[in-house]
Amino acid sequence: MGAKQKKYRIAGTAYPLEDLPDSGLPDEVLSFIHNYLQEDEIRAFTSGSTGKPKEIFLKTAHMRSSALKTLRFLELKEGQSCLLCLSPKYI
C-alpha cells in the first residue's frame, strides 16, 4: 500500500501540491505557496512604504508561528476563512 499523498485545502477543495495550478489562484499566490511548502526560507520584499522595497528572507517556521498566533488572536476555527488583503509579493 502506497503512502497517502498530502493535500492542501483551498476554498474548501483539497489539492495535491502538483495540482495547485488548477485551483484558480493567481500565479503570484501559487508561486508563494510552492516556495513556502518546499523551502526553509522565503524571499520577499518590504512594502516600500518608506522608500524602495527591500529584499528580505523569512524563515517559513517563523511565518507559520506568526500565522498560528494570528489565527488564535482572531479566534478563527477550522472551516472559517479570511481575506488576504495584501499581495504575497510584499511583506
Side-chain angles (χ1 to χ4, degrees), residues 6 15 30-31 44 52 58 60 63-64 66 69-70 82:
K6 187 167 185 169
Y15 298 92
L30 289 171
S31 177
K52 182 179 175 186
L58 304 166
T60 54
M63 295 175 71
R64 187 176 306 107
S66 177
K69 289 176 185 176
T70 300
C82 58

Side-chain angles (χ1 to χ4, degrees), residues 16 28 32 41 48 76 78 87:
E28 66 181 6
F32 175 86
E41 284 188 337
L76 290 172
E78 187 172 339
S87 167

Side-chain angles (χ1 to χ4, degrees), residues 12-26:
T13 303
Y15 298 92
L17 182 59
E18 64 272 5
D19 290 344
L20 283 178
D22 296 329
S23 66
L25 292 171

